Amino acid sequence: MDHSNHDMTPTSTITSVIAKITSTAAAAAAGGGHGHGGGTGCKISMLWNWNTIDSCFISSSWKITSNQMFGGSCVGVLLLAITMEALRRLTKEYDRYLVKKHREALAGQHNVDVTQGYRPKIWEQAVRAALHMVQFAVGYFIMLLAMYYNGYIIICIFLGAYLGSFMFHWEPLAWDKQLPRRTPHFVAIDQAWRGVDWFIFDTLDMDTK
């Protein structure tokens, strides 16, 4: 049986398979924008970029098709970062509310130290955990958006963090907690300086008499 017209050697088979895979990958890359968009035409880059039209975020359904859509996405990312700071303030205010309610409940009782810490009840801790979960989820989505290395999106994240901190963390500062306490060395130096100051002025006062 003549097999001269049917060259089925392993080398030729492997070569044909590699050529087919290479041609398929090249066609997919040509139709996928910047090499990571598959067949959706999304512009996705793992390096710093300023892409606008045809950019995709999170999923292929979030594909930018116009400048107006990209502007709306930037505003949405800005609000998402602001929401992150609002959740942080809400968590802090809820903890303050629990402590205040606990102190008010113990105010009428005698021989009770109201300065002791308060351990939340199970449903109160459930609310605290829910607030933490939402805050964690928002922060995770912000991280995913930042991983697209889009300069406009990252700037919106930074601006949102700034505006959120300005709006939701503008609160009175505790005087005794913010200022550093005077160390013993500082107190000794201060007392020594007061002694020198008293000696100088007392000497001048005696000379004028």
Side-chain angles (χ1 to χ4, degrees), residues 96-117:
R96 290 175 177 174
Y97 165 75
L98 294 179
V99 173
K100 181 181 178 181
K101 185 178 67 172
H102 175 65
R103 288 183 176 180
E104 291 177 351
L106 298 179
Q109 301 181 15
H110 300 284
N111 299 326
V112 176
D113 187 6
V114 296
T115 61
Q116 292 182 355

Side-chain angles (χ1 to χ4, degrees), residues 40-115:
T40 60
C42 293
K43 290 182 179 179
I44 300 176
S45 176
M46 297 304 294
L47 299 175
W48 186 273
N49 64 89
W50 300 96
N51 298 330
T52 55
I53 306 299
D54 292 334
S55 297
C56 295
F57 302 100
I58 306 298
S59 67
S60 59
S61 59
W62 188 354
K63 181 180 178 181
I64 307 301
T65 58
S66 65
N67 292 328
Q68 292 78 9
M69 185 177 180
F70 186 78
S73 298
C74 289
V75 173
V77 173
L78 184 76
L79 295 176
L80 191 65
I82 292 176
T83 302
M84 180 73 174
E85 300 301 325
L87 287 170
R88 289 178 178 175
R89 178 61 184 271
L90 181 61
T91 303
K92 186 188 299 184
E93 290 298 329
Y94 184 70
D95 289 345
R96 290 175 177 174
Y97 165 75
L98 294 179
V99 173
K100 181 181 178 181
K101 185 178 67 172
H102 175 65
R103 288 183 176 180
E104 291 177 351
L106 298 179
Q109 301 181 15
H110 300 284
N111 299 326
V112 176
D113 187 6
V114 296
T115 61

